[in-house]
């Protein structure tokens, strides 16, 4: 076992005094049951009243957020799409596709974040407002990390474009500048606005030099004294060489031009061009990548990674991916200045700059309160073929492990379980068994839900689960006295034993009431009748009744006889069948032939001979036996009379 | 077809229904109701796709549907029907049937009428009372007919506290859906592939006619009647097959069309354009069946005939043509397969599409992936 990465968080359960009381617990798939025990070490005699509750403790509470549900549902579609693009694409188009998928994931996070933000603003009580706001910051951190991973691991931008991507990344996540800009430009005299210089500085820090120039021209218009300086600085901004996506110039050319430009800036500073305006001088220092000048703008930079990107922009614009971590580490150290220690988010970003994917995922798993992020990010990175070498000392590989955790969390949820199915499907090693274990535990309150679960199982040839679900439904139906339904379910499950049981219930009902229920089903059994002998008998016996009802006596008689001679009819039912033969024997015309009559007689004798001799008869049994004896007597008489008539008829027919 | 808008709503949608537009009015559908299922708390909700001036400026919100109001519903919403402009009838998995009333003034929903034990396995009086889910309802003001897993058929009137008529044990298996054939006849489908016609004028518990699929007893999940030709009925089954029936003749479907890969949950003829049919399925697809594609061709043939032939043959061809259009395009079996054009309406496959409804040029559907899709331009 590896050492722990952090102290496990303590969850306090309201109402339970764990100091005085022993607690017991039981694991569930995504949650835990906790209650107090009555066990007491010290004072065995004294009874302290127990806490009367059993608590359910949920590990992954984010699953229960209404807004995050949208994230789960929408990203499910993206996830399934990603698994399908697999393999068919290679090289460039594959990379483009993966970047597109990554952007889709991010836009879902963003949509969620925006909605959460709206709700946080609209929240009526401050507590829930705070809760939503903290969710917003978590989502925003997730998007920040994801975006960086996208640039470094999926896009794999080379030196040059790398910085452009990083600039976009910072601009996207430090977005207060837009509202500030609107505020300043909306005022009567922008250059006299109290935040004017802050705005210009931020624009320069983010490398938005065109906008910064426009601002400076406003300043130039209003104060003629500094107009010349503004123009000079504006020219420096305009001439800064940058790599544009469509440009064909090589990195060396760019570096050369940039060096020239840098020297020119340096010269202006040396010459004291801007000495009369401290604001402009600071801007020029920033554009020279002066670390001290940059660190003075800590407030405006917000965080160390903004500092890192600005620093790279103005001192190492062609930074190579390999060297990133050096600058990142020093930027973090400089920015924090030993005053505070890095937070989890800083560690995660640092790990990303170090290209240590596993560290990123590990830190995220610890820091974030749900599995959604790591599961989806890991899966995406796995599709970029970045994770193959890593195997865990438990279960299967990391991608699968995280997906299983996430999917199990979904299955613990009352209604998100359907999403979990697809995640299990794409876990080649343990997905199937996990699904089998989870799917059986879905409560089935309506047949419609049961049908949905059944469809999931049938599509995956999970025969064992199909049988068990059908059996549950059949049992339920029997308990509710819905024999037709019960029979349908056992036919669907191909469960012969249960079909026999239900058929017996039908026959019992018939014996009690003298008529069949649920004819619509029994008359339409078709080939399903062959499922069990008893079911065949039920169907055939009902057919006998139909033939009899249609007055097709000869057909009815031979069917009745064949039920007994072929041993389909259970012994216990023979007496009923023979009694059913009585009216046929008593018909005016002869229905049973002599041979058939002999068969019937043999059946009757078999039945009576096989009866065990009982000891000590009581009154009730005597009476029963009495009825039985009368029946047998009547049958014998009828059979004998029929035999006589049949012999005469057959003899005379043959004679004639 | 025009743009289709999706909105995730954080609840699995079991039913979607357009509010009917007042008869004779020219306005298009703009309000629909949804019911949710399998949540810890389920809701009946009303949504509007009408234009919200304040949101339009954003561009992104145009065509998006907004929640008007919702109300808690006990149990899964198994079926949902508009009774009239203001009232919605909901069927619950608890066996309860509820009429909700919409108050447009303050945008709220309230319970107007409730039959709590409409469907049950063991009677409400008994100590071992157990309810049964109500699976389907159909309304024809003032009557409401409900069916359930208990195989029971109830006939309610909105103004009566008790059921007007109950057929106990009407079916030995689960009844999945019900529709009116022609008053007072109804049509039910069950889980052993049978279609039964019931006449409320007849006493007793027997259907007046049983039609069934041959052999396999594939459960039927949905049924809809052709809006103008009342003998033409479409059903959808567990195997995703679409069956077209002519209830006047035979006990077997006129045509069986291979459709979805899993349960077909709903089938709807377009109410005013019945050559178009819509189906949705557990496999996550939503299909538009267009049987009218040959119409322009047919009429051009007719014109040609009219021009080139004598008056007599013209009138004959005319007659034949009239007759053919009288026979529903869904019943002419031989050529059906070639003439029906099928389009898939959803951009990508998702989880089960549980319900759909069409009205005029508008379509709404709801899925287990917790999304509601709306389009306002079906026939573009």
């Amino acid at each position: 076992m590896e050492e722990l990465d952090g102290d496990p968080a303590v969850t306090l359960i309201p109402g339970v005094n764990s100091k005085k009381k022993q607690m017991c617990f039981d694991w569930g798939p995504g949650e835990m049951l906790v209650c107090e025990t009555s066990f007491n070490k010290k004072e065995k005699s004294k009874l302290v009243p127990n806490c009367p509750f059993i608590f359910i403790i949920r590990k992954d509470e984010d699953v229960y957020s209404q807004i995050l549900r949208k994230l789960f549902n929408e990203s499910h579609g993206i996830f399934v799409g990603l698994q399908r693009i697999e393999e068919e694409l290679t090289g460039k188009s594959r990379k483009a596709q993966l970047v597109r998928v990554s952007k889709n994931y991010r836009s879902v996070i963003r949509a969620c974040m925006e909605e959460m933000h709206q709700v946080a603003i609209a929240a009526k009580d401050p507590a829930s407002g705070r809760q939503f706001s903290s969710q917003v910051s978590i989502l925003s951190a997730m998007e920040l990390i994801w975006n960086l991973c996208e640039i470094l691991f999926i896009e794999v931008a080379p030196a040059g474009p790398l910085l452009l991507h990083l600039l976009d990344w910072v601009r996207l996540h430090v977005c207060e500048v837009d509202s500030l800009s609107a505020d300043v430009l909306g005022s009567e005299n922008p250059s006299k606005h109290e935040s004017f210089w802050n705005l210009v500085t931020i624009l320069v820090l983010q490398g938005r030099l065109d906008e910064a120039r426009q601002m400076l021209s406003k300043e130039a218009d209003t104060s003629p004294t500094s107009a010349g300086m503004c123009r000079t600085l504006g020219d420096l901004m305009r001439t800064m060489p940058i790599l544009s996506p469509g440009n064909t110039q090589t990195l060396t050319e760019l570096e050369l031009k940039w060096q020239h430009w840098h020297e020119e800036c340096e010269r202006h500073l040396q010459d004291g061009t801007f000495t009369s305006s401290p604001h402009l001088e600071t801007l020029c220092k920033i554009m020279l990548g002066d670390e001290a000048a940059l660190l003075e703008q800590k407030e405006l930079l917000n965080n160390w990674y903004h500092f890192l990107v600005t620093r790279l922009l103005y001192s190492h614009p062609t930074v190579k991916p390999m060297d990133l971590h050096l600058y990142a580490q020093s930027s973090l150290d400089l920015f924090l200045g030993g005053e505070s220690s890095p937070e989890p988010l800083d560690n995660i970003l640092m790990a990303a700059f170090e290209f240590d994917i596993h560290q990123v995922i590990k830190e995220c798993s610890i820091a974030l309160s749900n599995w959604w992020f790591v599961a989806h990010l890991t899966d995406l990175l796995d599709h970029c073929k970045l994770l193959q070498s890593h195997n865990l000392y438990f279960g299967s590989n990391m991608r699968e492990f995280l997906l299983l955790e996430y999917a199990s969390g979904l299955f613990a949820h009352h209604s998100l379980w359907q999403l979990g199915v697809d995640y299990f499907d794409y876990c080649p090693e343990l997905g199937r068994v996990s699904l089998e274990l989870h799917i059986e535990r879905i409560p089935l309150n309506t047949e419609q839900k049961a049908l949905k679960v059944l469809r999931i199982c049938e599509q995956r040839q999970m025969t064992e689960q199909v049988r068990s679900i059908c059996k549950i439904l059949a049992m339920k139906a029997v308990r509710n006295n819905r024999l037709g339904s019960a029979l349908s379910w056992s036919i669907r499950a191909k469960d012969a034993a249960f079909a026999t049981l239900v058929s017996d219930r039908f026959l019992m009902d018939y014996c009690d009431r003298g008529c069949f229920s649920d004819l619509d089903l029994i008359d339409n059994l078709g080939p399903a009748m062959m499922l069990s002998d008893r079911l065949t008998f039920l169907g055939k016996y009902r057919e006998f009744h139909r033939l009899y009802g249609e007055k097709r006596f000869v057909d009815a008689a031979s069917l009745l006889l064949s039920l007994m001679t072929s041993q389909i009819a259970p012994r216990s039912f023979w007496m009923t069948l023979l009694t059913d033969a009585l009216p046929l024997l008593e018909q005016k015309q002869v229905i049973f032939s002599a041979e058939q009559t002999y068969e019937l007689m043999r059946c009757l004798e078999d039945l009576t001979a096989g009866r065990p001799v009982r000891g000590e008869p009581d009154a009730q049994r005597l009476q029963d036996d009495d009825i039985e004896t009368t029946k047998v007597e009547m049958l014998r008489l009828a059979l004998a009379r029929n035999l006589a008539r049949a012999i005469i008829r057959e003899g005379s027919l043959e004679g004639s | 077809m025009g743009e289709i808008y999706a909105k995730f709503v954080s609840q699995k949608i079991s039913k979607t229904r357009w509010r009917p537009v007042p008869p004779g009015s020219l306005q298009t559908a703009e309000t629909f109701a949804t019911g949710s299922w399998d949540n810890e708390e389920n809701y009946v909700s009303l949504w509007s796709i009408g234009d919200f001036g304040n949101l339009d400026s954003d561009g992104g919100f145009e065509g998006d549907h907004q929640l008007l109001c919702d109300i808690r519903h006990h149990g899964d919403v198994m079926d949902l029907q508009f009774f009239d402009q203001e009232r919605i009838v909901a069927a619950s998995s608890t066996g309860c049937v509820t009429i909700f009333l919409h108050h447009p003034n303050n945008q709220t929903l309230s319970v107007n009428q409730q039959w709590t034990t409409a469907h049950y396995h063991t009677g409400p009086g008994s100590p071992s009372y157990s309810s049964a889910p109500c699976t389907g309802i159909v309304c024809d003001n003032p009557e409401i007919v409900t069916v359930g897993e208990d195989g029971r058929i109830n006939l309610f009137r909105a103004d009566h506290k008790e059921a007007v008529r109950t057929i106990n044990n009407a079916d030995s298996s689960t009844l999945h859906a019900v529709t009116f054939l022609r008053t007072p006849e109804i049509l039910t489908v069950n889980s052993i592939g049978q279609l039964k016609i019931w006449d409320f004028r007849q006493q007793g518990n027997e259907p007046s006619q049983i039609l069934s699929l041959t052999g396999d007893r594939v459960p039927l999940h949905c049924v809809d009647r052709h809006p103008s030709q009342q003998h033409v009925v479409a059903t959808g089954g567990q195997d995703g097959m679409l069956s077209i029936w002519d209830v006047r003749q035979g006990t077997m479907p006129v045509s069986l069309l291979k459709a979805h890969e899993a349960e077909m949950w709903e089938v709807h003829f377009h109410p005013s354009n019945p050559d178009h049919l819509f189906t949705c399925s557990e496999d996550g697809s939503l299909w538009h069946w267009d049987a009218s594609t040959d119409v322009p061709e047919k009429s051009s043939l007719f014109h040609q005939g009219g021009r080139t032939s004598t008056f007599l043959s013209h009138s004959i061809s005319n007659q034949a043509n009239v007759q053919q259009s009288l026979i529903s395009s869904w019943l002419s079996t031989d050529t059906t397969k070639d003439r029906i054009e099928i389009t898939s309406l959803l951009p990508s496959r998702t989880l089960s599409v549980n319900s759909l409804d069409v009205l005029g040029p508008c379509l709404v559907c709801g899925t287990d992936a917790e999304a509601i899709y709306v389009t306002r331009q079906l026939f573009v």
Side-chain angles (χ1 to χ4, degrees):
Chain A
M1 178 107 185
E2 282 179 17
E3 61 187 284
L4 285 179
D5 294 304
D7 290 326
V10 175
T11 309
L12 285 176
I13 302 163
V16 175
N17 188 347
S18 53
K19 290 216 175 74
K20 279 195 182 149
K21 284 288 185 175
Q22 295 264 337
M23 286 159 72
C24 65
F25 73 95
D26 193 22
W27 290 108
E31 44 208 16
M32 202 164 95
L33 292 177
V34 173
C35 67
E36 277 186 8
T37 61
S38 48
F39 180 73
N40 199 329
K41 274 186 284 187
K42 287 173 194 162
E43 315 132 56
K44 274 180 189 149
S45 53
K46 200 178 155 198
L47 273 175
V48 186
N50 278 319
C51 171
F53 298 110
I54 296 176
F55 295 89
I56 300 173
I57 297 175
R58 283 166 175 167
K59 183 173 61 175
D60 188 354
E61 61 175 333
D62 285 355
V63 171
Y64 298 89
S65 150
Q66 285 294 311
I67 296 169
L68 289 182
R69 273 177 82 155
K70 297 180 187 182
L71 176 71
F72 302 144
N73 274 293
E74 219 171 335
S75 57
H76 165 262
I78 303 174
F79 173 83
V80 173
L82 172 61
Q83 313 305 311
R84 289 186 186 147
I85 66 161
E86 194 53 10
E87 304 317 330
E88 46 194 82
L89 295 165
T90 46
K92 263 219 162 103
S93 62
R94 183 183 166 84
K95 187 172 131 185
Q97 193 84 329
L98 290 169
V99 171
R100 210 171 47 93
V101 169
S102 173
K103 290 198 165 131
N104 285 344
Y105 275 129
R106 282 201 291 123
S107 79
V108 177
I109 303 179
R110 286 214 147 245
C112 238
M113 195 166 87
E114 264 153 40
E115 184 172 350
M116 194 76 89
H117 185 62
Q118 296 299 327
V119 175
I121 292 170
K124 287 195 180 74
D125 65 309
S128 68
R130 262 197 305 280
Q131 206 187 341
F132 286 124
S133 300
S134 85
Q135 288 274 14
V136 172
S137 53
I138 292 171
L139 284 169
S140 146
M142 292 202 303
E143 212 261 331
L144 179 81
I145 300 165
W146 192 299
N147 196 352
L148 184 62
C149 290
E150 178 185 309
I151 294 168
L152 298 177
F153 305 136
I154 304 169
E155 192 101 53
V156 206
L162 174 65
L163 186 71
L164 297 181
H165 281 297
L166 289 177
L167 269 176
D168 284 338
W169 174 61
V170 161
R171 286 172 193 161
L172 193 62
H173 291 95
V174 185
C175 46
E176 293 86 356
V177 62
D178 293 314
S179 57
L180 188 63
S181 166
D183 202 20
V184 170
L185 289 175
S187 68
E188 255 175 57
N189 193 349
S191 61
K192 292 287 174 284
H193 192 280
E194 52 175 355
S195 302
F196 177 78
W197 285 107
N198 273 353
L199 175 63
V200 180
T201 314
I202 293 174
L203 288 173
V204 174
L205 289 173
Q206 294 199 357
R208 296 159 73 164
L209 294 181
D210 286 340
E211 290 163 76
R213 254 173 54 222
Q214 284 165 13
M215 287 292 176
L216 281 185
S217 70
K218 288 204 190 326
E219 164 72 7
D221 292 346
T222 46
S223 67
T225 47
S226 61
M229 281 189 287
C230 285
R231 216 159 291 133
T232 316
L233 194 64
D235 281 343
L236 285 177
M237 287 174 174
R238 192 169 46 78
T239 50
M240 178 177 170
I242 41 158
L243 192 77
S244 52
N247 210 327
T248 50
Q249 66 181 335
T250 62
L251 272 190
T252 350
E253 280 171 1
L254 179 78
E255 265 167 10
L256 209 64
K257 281 191 198 163
W258 189 82
Q259 206 55 48
H260 278 298
W261 173 82
H262 193 75
E263 278 159 16
E264 198 185 338
C265 292
E266 189 82 53
R267 204 161 41 241
H268 277 292
L269 197 65
Q270 299 294 329
D271 295 350
T273 315
F274 307 116
T275 30
S276 56
S277 164
H279 286 303
L280 293 177
E281 189 165 31
T282 311
L283 290 180
C284 186
K285 278 184 183 165
I286 290 173
M287 285 163 65
L288 276 167
D290 183 308
E291 273 168 20
L294 279 173
L295 283 172
E296 271 171 37
Q297 308 300 332
K298 254 189 192 179
E299 293 268 296
L300 299 180
L301 281 168
N302 265 324
N303 46 52
W304 66 272
Y305 45 90
H306 192 343
F307 171 56
L308 163 71
V309 175
T310 309
R311 192 177 153 211
L312 289 174
L313 174 68
Y314 294 117
S315 48
H316 309 279
T318 55
V319 63
K320 292 190 190 69
M322 280 300 115
D323 301 331
L324 260 183
H325 71 277
L326 293 174
Y327 297 111
Q329 189 61 54
S330 68
S331 299
L332 176 64
D333 293 343
L334 281 171
F335 196 83
L336 295 183
E339 288 163 26
S340 53
S341 51
E343 294 190 10
L345 177 62
D346 303 326
N347 293 333
I348 294 167
L349 294 177
M350 188 55 76
F353 283 124
E354 285 165 3
F355 285 86
D356 187 346
I357 296 176
H358 297 114
Q359 190 62 27
V360 172
I361 289 162
K362 187 171 157 185
E363 297 269 352
C364 289
S365 307
I366 297 168
L368 295 171
S369 54
N370 63 56
W371 290 108
W372 178 87
F373 180 79
V374 277
H376 286 85
L377 182 63
T378 309
D379 173 61
L380 181 61
L381 295 177
D382 188 64
H383 278 87
C384 301
K385 316 250 185 259
L386 290 169
L387 291 167
Q388 272 126 343
S389 60
H390 196 78
N391 275 311
L392 296 176
Y393 56 91
F394 48 86
S396 55
N397 62 29
M398 182 158 72
R399 167 187 175 271
E400 177 154 336
F401 172 77
L402 293 171
L403 286 179
L404 288 174
E405 279 297 318
Y406 174 62
S408 308
L410 292 177
F411 257 93
H413 188 273
H414 191 268
S415 103
L416 291 174
W417 57 273
Q418 273 173 304
L419 297 178
V421 176
D422 283 312
Y423 288 93
F424 281 138
D425 275 352
Y426 292 107
C427 293
E429 228 169 301
L430 298 171
R432 167 118 186 167
V433 271
S434 308
L435 181 59
E436 285 172 357
L437 288 173
H438 277 104
I439 202 96
E440 281 187 317
R441 286 161 175 76
I442 302 276
L444 306 171
N445 48 339
T446 65
E447 279 191 15
Q448 176 141 359
K449 186 169 177 184
L451 287 172
K452 282 172 183 277
V453 177
L454 268 179
R455 175 60 65 179
I456 290 169
C457 296
E458 280 174 355
Q459 273 169 349
R460 290 156 184 81
Q461 278 93 42
M462 292 160 55
T463 35
E464 201 44 52
Q465 283 67 34
V466 170
R467 271 171 51 108
S468 109
I469 292 165
C470 287
K471 190 146 196 160
I472 292 168
L473 292 165
M475 277 305 288
K476 242 187 197 168
V478 167
R479 223 175 298 132
N480 288 326
N481 233 345
R482 301 273 304 149
L483 295 184
S485 248
L487 192 54
S488 293
W489 285 116
S490 40
I491 291 172
R492 182 154 179 189
K494 304 211 168 41
D495 186 340
F498 206 79
T500 301
L501 191 133
V502 178
S503 309
D504 276 342
R505 283 280 300 267
F506 268 114
L507 293 170
M508 252 164 60
D509 266 16
Y510 169 74
C511 291
D512 289 350
R513 295 191 300 173
C515 66
F516 279 107
S517 56
D518 302 338
L519 286 181
D520 49 356
L521 174 66
I522 301 171
D523 282 346
N524 288 293
L525 282 172
M529 200 192 279
M530 311 311 286
L531 180 60
S532 89
D533 276 356
R534 200 60 49 84
L535 187 57
T536 317
F537 170 66
L538 176 67
K540 289 287 170 194
Y541 185 50
R542 160 65 194 155
E543 198 178 320
F544 160 74
H545 277 261
R546 209 177 53 230
L547 291 172
Y548 186 85
E550 289 164 6
K551 299 214 186 307
R552 291 162 62 188
F553 295 131
V554 179
D555 294 340
S558 61
L559 178 59
L560 188 69
L561 189 60
S562 73
L563 284 177
M564 279 183 284
T565 52
S566 65
Q567 307 286 333
I568 290 178
R571 271 288 167 122
S572 56
F573 215 75
W574 280 24
M575 193 42 101
T576 317
L577 292 180
L578 286 166
T579 322
D580 281 331
L582 259 180
L584 287 170
L585 292 167
E586 300 291 339
Q587 288 290 326
K588 272 206 188 87
Q589 77 270 42
V590 183
I591 291 160
F592 286 103
S593 69
E595 202 177 329
Q596 285 179 319
T597 319
Y598 284 129
E599 291 271 8
L600 280 175
M601 290 166 108
R602 195 177 53 78
C603 290
L604 182 62
E605 292 317 308
D606 275 6
L607 197 61
T608 45
R611 290 198 179 246
V613 187
R614 302 190 188 95
E616 288 308 303
D618 57 32
Q620 178 62 41
R621 177 153 308 146
L622 270 177
Q623 201 189 343
D624 281 356
D625 279 355
D626 218 27
I627 296 170
E628 198 75 25
T629 323
T630 326
K631 247 189 202 167
V632 172
E633 291 298 312
M634 274 171 66
L635 269 168
R636 283 200 175 120
L637 184 64
L639 283 167
R641 283 212 319 238
N642 189 69
L643 183 61
R645 290 197 299 159
I647 291 173
I648 292 169
R649 184 159 165 273
E650 279 159 33
S652 57
L653 272 178
E654 269 160 5
S656 63
Chain B
M1 199 195 62
E3 198 100 33
I4 190 154
Y5 294 95
K7 186 179 180 116
F8 287 85
V9 293
S10 298
Q11 48 188 343
K12 292 201 274 195
I13 298 297
S14 56
K15 289 290 159 188
T16 54
R17 296 284 178 257
W18 289 111
R19 179 163 75 185
V21 288
S25 110
L26 287 175
Q27 70 191 106
T28 57
E30 59 176 26
T31 307
F32 63 89
T34 62
S36 74
W37 79 284
D38 205 28
N39 288 312
E40 274 166 306
E41 290 183 359
N42 289 295
Y43 289 89
V44 168
S45 321
L46 268 182
W47 306 78
S48 170
I49 57 165
D51 293 323
F52 291 85
N54 52 340
L55 290 170
D56 266 352
S57 57
D58 204 26
F61 282 103
E62 222 225 311
D64 207 350
H65 33 283
Q66 305 295 319
L67 182 68
L68 287 180
C69 50
D70 56 9
I71 188 167
R72 275 279 308 267
H73 180 265
H74 191 51
D76 293 348
V77 177
M78 302 291 287
D79 201 0
L80 200 64
Q81 298 290 342
F82 270 93
F83 184 74
D84 52 25
Q85 292 283 311
E86 288 94 37
R87 284 179 286 183
I88 312 165
V89 191
S92 165
S93 60
T94 61
C96 174
V97 175
T98 313
I99 302 182
F100 292 106
L101 181 65
H102 176 223
H103 309 275
N105 298 333
N106 52 1
Q107 289 300 359
T108 50
L109 282 165
S110 65
V111 175
N112 178 245
Q113 168 78 280
Q114 204 164 39
W115 296 278
T116 45
T117 53
H119 292 273
Y120 54 87
H121 289 300
T122 323
S126 116
S128 60
Y129 169 70
S130 85
S131 65
C134 173
T135 52
I137 38 182
V138 64
C139 304
D140 185 11
N141 200 346
E143 286 171 341
I144 301 165
V145 178
T146 69
V147 296
E149 274 184 24
D150 53 358
R152 186 175 276 110
I153 300 175
N154 287 310
L155 174 67
F156 295 109
R157 271 168 181 279
D159 46 359
H160 282 52
K161 271 251 156 273
E162 301 297 323
V164 180
R165 173 88 187 270
T166 295
I167 306 178
N168 289 319
N169 260 324
D171 205 305
S172 62
S173 40
T174 298
L175 288 170
H176 280 148
V178 59
T179 188
F180 274 108
L181 198 55
R182 33 186 184 252
T183 2
E185 281 183 321
I186 59 159
L187 206 148
T188 61
V189 291
N190 68 11
S191 64
I192 54 171
Q194 293 170 333
L195 209 142
K196 295 183 182 176
I197 299 172
W198 307 82
D199 189 338
F200 281 122
R201 287 167 300 197
Q202 288 174 11
Q203 293 305 311
N205 291 356
E206 294 302 317
S208 57
Q209 198 184 342
I210 299 183
L211 300 91
S212 68
L213 296 165
T214 43
D216 300 336
R217 306 165 34 261
V218 180
L220 293 174
H221 287 296
C222 50
V223 59
D224 194 28
R225 191 206 63 193
H226 194 285
S228 50
Q229 287 152 336
Q230 297 179 330
H231 55 276
V232 180
V233 167
T235 63
Q238 179 145 299
D239 51 359
M241 290 269 239
L242 173 69
S243 320
I244 308 285
W245 311 70
D246 182 347
V247 296
R248 294 173 310 184
Q249 42 187 282
T251 56
M252 302 215 305
V254 179
S255 55
L256 275 170
L257 301 164
K258 182 116 191 56
H260 301 280
E261 282 159 27
E263 285 86 353
M264 185 188 290
W265 290 129
E266 280 194 20
V267 56
H268 288 281
F269 284 103
H270 192 282
S272 52
N273 209 347
D275 280 346
H276 296 261
L277 185 105
F278 298 85
T279 61
C280 63
S281 158
E282 175 73 20
D283 68 7
S285 55
L286 171 69
W287 286 6
H288 173 185
W289 305 65
D290 182 355
S292 69
T293 41
D294 67 328
V295 168
E297 203 179 272
K298 212 194 281 174
S299 63
S300 73
L301 256 175
F302 161 56
H303 280 300
Q304 266 174 12
R307 262 183 240 120
T308 53
S309 49
T310 61
F311 178 70
L312 188 69
S313 71
H314 173 206
S315 72
I316 286 170
S317 84
N318 191 6
Q319 232 171 23
N321 206 10
V322 166
Q323 228 167 31
Q324 186 150 40
S325 67
L326 266 181
I327 301 173
S328 165
S329 49
W330 297 104
L331 288 185
S332 38
T333 42
D334 310 333
T335 49
T336 306
K337 276 166 201 121
D338 312 321
R339 290 191 300 116
I340 297 178
E341 197 175 285
I342 303 168
T343 10
S344 176
L345 296 184
L346 290 186
S348 61
R349 276 222 173 158
T350 64
L351 295 183
S352 170
V353 183
N354 291 326
S355 177
L356 76 98
D357 198 19
V358 272
L359 186 63
C362 305
L363 178 143
V364 57
C365 74
T367 71
D368 275 345
E370 308 190 342
I372 300 174
Y373 294 86
V374 174
T375 179
R376 288 199 269 184
Q377 293 144 334
L378 261 185
F379 304 110
V380 173

